[in-house]
Amino acid sequence: MSLAAYCVICCRRIGTSTSPPKSGTHWREIRNIIKFTGSLILGGSLFLTYEVLALKKAVTLDTQVVEREKMKSYIYVHTVSLDKGENHGIAWQARKELHKAVRKVLATSAKILRNPFADPFSTVDIEDHECAVWLLLRKSKSDDKTTRLEAVREMSETHHWHDYQYRIIAQACDPKTLIGLARSEESDLRFFLLPPPLPSLKEDSSTEEELRQLLASLPQTELDECIQYFTSLALSESSQSLAAQKGGLWCFGGNGLPYAESFGEVPSATVEMFCLEAIVKHSEISTHCDKIEANGGLQLLQRLYRLHKDCPKVQRNIMRVIGNMALNEHLHSSIVRSGWVSIMAEAMKSPHIMESSHAARILANLDRETVQEKYQDGVYVLHPQYRTSQPIKADVLFIHGLMGAAFKTWRQQDSEQAVIEKPMEDEDRYTTCWPKTWLAKDCPALRIISVEYDTSLSDWRARCPMERKSIAFRSNELLRKLRAAGVGDRPVVWISHSMGGLLVKKMLLEASMKPEMSTVINNTRGIIFYSVPHHGSRLAEYSVNIRYLLFPSLEVKELSKDSPALKTLQDDFLEFAKDKNFQVLNFVETLPTYIGSMIKLHVVPVESADLGIGDLIPVDVNHLNICKPKKKDAFLYQRTLQFIREALAKDLEN
């Protein structure tokens, strides 16, 4: 408006002039008009630009919020069109290139002009400038293994995301990433979706009946006597007749658990426990695992797992089956799809060592990215149970004795105060497994393995009446399992209690005669024996006079002082150990042990615990507590720790 008025006035002045102006004055006025006009145009442009930008900023909607709300509502999965023509058509290719070009232009303009639309495009677009969630997802699917592992590590260490961002990962990640997150100690449980809904039970059917049908569908040929025994017992007896026949005297608790509960109280639990025990044995055969999966066993076992949340024995046998199935890599996808990874990720964080260790075994067998070894039934890694950047330089193996177990044998010595505090799971005051709690912290570069196997004092109490396993048989079985777990690839220290020491001696002798096991011998650095009856035990002498030990088991018979097999084992191993110059440390109890409420017995006397080489240290405890230190600074633990460090000194330094 001002510019137009000024121009009109100037024109009128020129038009109404009575005398022609001078030439200089005319061009001076024109220059003034141009200067004034230019300044007005420039100032007006700047003013208009400012007003437009201010107005735009005032009315712009925060599209990032909208996109986040959309992310919360949608399931993000990587999909590929089934229409091949759509993927390869000219129109589709042109549209794809056009979109890519537009994205690049928008990204470039956002960087140069700091466009307010930069944030939305950076969080939604799936390119190099996309949000961290999608970048990590893309990295986790890289062809480079190192990149994949780094992506999983970064995911597990992220704790500032919103809930929907964890859910995006849970919905869009592949099985390898999911397993890696489950084996990462810091992972948030929001990374794991709930297992898919279980199929409904058939009409007029029950979980117990479904379990029996699953067992009946498995092959019944080429089975050992014990599998046949458990299978026929579970299939031929109803829950009522089993409870009546056994009179509440039998209970299947699995490896190393006492038989003290009555089945009469919960009749349906009887057949379930026998069926599970049989399925555990079947799951040790690869072809039977295929049948279990094909017949819906993964879903049925998951239903049982949920129903028996308060029954560790049932859950333990179920996890043993899943762990055995995970040994077969072609079944990994089925195990992941059925939701077992999410269940085991939660179980890994349990304060109960039995639950967390079984879950760790399952996930380690599923994790083929970072684990080459395979952990068969009865072989449990106590440390490290998660993925770790700590180099593992040596192995320490724990072998329990008669009526022992992989975890309870190695607990801290019980006391009245400890019994009260145990439910609190305060490991600073009491530990249910000192190798996992104390030794792992003192020697983090060790892989700590605990082995479990079944034993019994009497054939009356044997899990399987047809089972007659000698020390020689058990040693071959354990040696095979340990070699599959990679024992022998690193330096090894063996730690054993009672009959477990005899198994260690027999395993080393057997390994020395097999060329494929030579690494086990070459890498053995030392052995610790906790009250091992090298020359026999008084337990075998008393067995014939004690009602409880009527019909003593084969394990007990082999512990007698006049046992030819025991004498041969001692003579052969002593010569072998001297030749190999093994470092040896022997502990022995000096106090008697109560067996039941009536019998008081010095199970392993000092003269029997003397191997003939290595230090022999008497300790004022009984046979059960010789491997259970009272506390971390107790002599029993500190001397054990000192031996391990000395035996592995060169290996740990390297």
Side-chain angles (χ1 to χ4, degrees), residues 90-327:
I90 297 176
W92 183 85
Q93 292 288 347
R95 192 164 58 249
K96 178 182 175 182
E97 293 300 322
L98 178 61
H99 289 174
K100 185 182 293 186
V102 170
R103 284 198 299 268
K104 289 182 177 179
V105 170
L106 290 171
T108 304
S109 64
K111 292 176 181 177
I112 297 174
L113 302 177
R114 299 188 179 273
N115 193 300
F117 289 101
D119 289 339
F121 278 109
S122 66
T123 56
V124 178
D125 198 49
I126 308 175
E127 287 292 332
D128 291 338
H129 53 279
E130 66 192 348
C131 66
V133 174
W134 294 103
L135 279 174
L136 288 176
L137 271 173
R138 188 168 63 180
K139 284 178 64 177
S140 70
K141 298 179 181 180
S142 169
D143 294 333
D144 181 60
K145 180 179 177 180
T146 304
T147 303
R148 293 197 304 271
L149 296 180
E150 178 67 18
V152 173
R153 186 189 63 78
E154 290 180 20
M155 288 180 189
S156 68
E157 293 176 353
T158 302
H159 303 289
H160 62 275
W161 284 347
H162 297 288
D163 184 72
Y164 76 88
Q165 291 174 301
Y166 290 101
R167 297 305 178 188
I168 289 174
I169 299 289
Q171 294 162 356
C173 70
D174 58 14
K176 290 181 180 179
T177 302
L178 187 67
I179 294 167
L181 289 170
R183 294 198 69 238
S184 300
E185 188 170 8
E186 300 298 325
S187 287
D188 194 298
L189 289 179
R190 287 176 290 179
F191 280 122
F192 308 98
L193 299 176
L194 292 175
L198 296 174
S200 302
L201 290 174
K202 298 177 183 177
E203 190 175 354
D204 299 328
S205 182
S206 64
T207 305
E208 173 193 337
E209 183 60 31
E210 294 276 346
L211 192 63
R212 294 178 66 180
Q213 290 178 7
L214 174 63
L215 181 58
S217 69
L218 301 178
Q220 305 299 319
T221 57
E222 300 181 3
L223 304 178
D224 65 34
E225 291 181 332
C226 280
I227 300 181
Q228 292 177 3
Y229 169 77
F230 289 131
T231 304
S232 62
L233 188 62
L235 295 177
S236 63
E237 302 288 349
S238 67
S239 59
Q240 292 83 2
S241 63
L242 262 176
Q245 177 184 343
K246 297 300 178 184
L249 294 177
W250 292 70
C251 174
F252 275 83
N255 296 347
L257 292 178
Y259 313 119
E261 293 186 4
S262 168
F263 281 132
E265 299 174 2
V266 187
S268 63
T270 308
V271 174
E272 288 180 356
M273 291 300 291
F274 275 103
C275 286
L276 282 174
E277 191 68 27
I279 293 174
V280 167
K281 293 294 184 182
H282 278 278
S283 67
E284 295 177 358
I285 305 171
S286 178
T287 54
H288 292 207
C289 289
D290 296 339
K291 289 287 185 180
I292 293 173
E293 188 273 331
N295 294 331
L298 289 170
Q299 291 76 20
L300 179 58
L301 291 173
Q302 193 175 127
R303 186 186 302 278
L304 272 174
Y305 188 88
R306 295 180 185 179
L307 288 174
H308 295 281
K309 268 292 185 183
D310 298 326
C311 185
K313 296 177 184 179
V314 173
Q315 290 196 327
R316 200 175 72 96
N317 276 333
I318 292 172
M319 287 194 283
R320 288 174 66 190
V321 175
I322 304 301
N324 290 342
M325 294 180 69
L327 293 168

Side-chain angles (χ1 to χ4, degrees), residues 316-365:
R316 200 175 72 96
N317 276 333
I318 292 172
M319 287 194 283
R320 288 174 66 190
V321 175
I322 304 301
N324 290 342
M325 294 180 69
L327 293 168
N328 305 283
E329 294 187 32
H330 64 281
L331 295 178
H332 286 187
S333 59
S334 298
I335 295 173
V336 173
R337 284 198 306 269
S338 61
W340 276 107
V341 174
S342 299
I343 296 173
M344 291 301 102
E346 183 177 358
M348 280 280 283
K349 298 183 183 296
S350 170
H352 303 288
I353 184 172
M354 186 179 295
E355 184 179 1
S356 62
S357 296
H358 278 278
R361 173 181 171 247
I362 293 172
L363 293 173
N365 284 337

Side-chain angles (χ1 to χ4, degrees), residues 25 34 68 116 237 274 283 319 325 353 446 495 548 600 606 610 617 638 645 650:
T25 305
I34 293 174
R68 284 180 177 174
E237 302 288 349
F274 275 103
S283 67
M319 287 194 283
M325 294 180 69
I353 184 172
L446 299 178
I495 300 179
Y548 180 74
K600 187 178 180 181
V606 175
D610 187 2
I617 303 176
Q638 290 299 324
R645 284 174 169 169
K650 294 181 180 179

Side-chain angles (χ1 to χ4, degrees), residues 337-400:
R337 284 198 306 269
S338 61
W340 276 107
V341 174
S342 299
I343 296 173
M344 291 301 102
E346 183 177 358
M348 280 280 283
K349 298 183 183 296
S350 170
H352 303 288
I353 184 172
M354 186 179 295
E355 184 179 1
S356 62
S357 296
H358 278 278
R361 173 181 171 247
I362 293 172
L363 293 173
N365 284 337
L366 289 173
D367 186 6
R368 297 297 92 190
E369 287 274 89
T370 62
V371 181
Q372 286 73 45
E373 303 85 4
K374 292 189 175 183
Y375 299 101
Q376 300 187 24
D377 191 27
V379 180
Y380 304 100
V381 176
L382 303 181
H383 174 79
Q385 293 185 337
Y386 292 99
R387 285 184 177 181
T388 177
S389 58
Q390 168 70 54
I392 302 301
K393 299 180 179 180
D395 292 337
V396 175
L397 273 61
F398 288 82
I399 319 292
H400 67 78

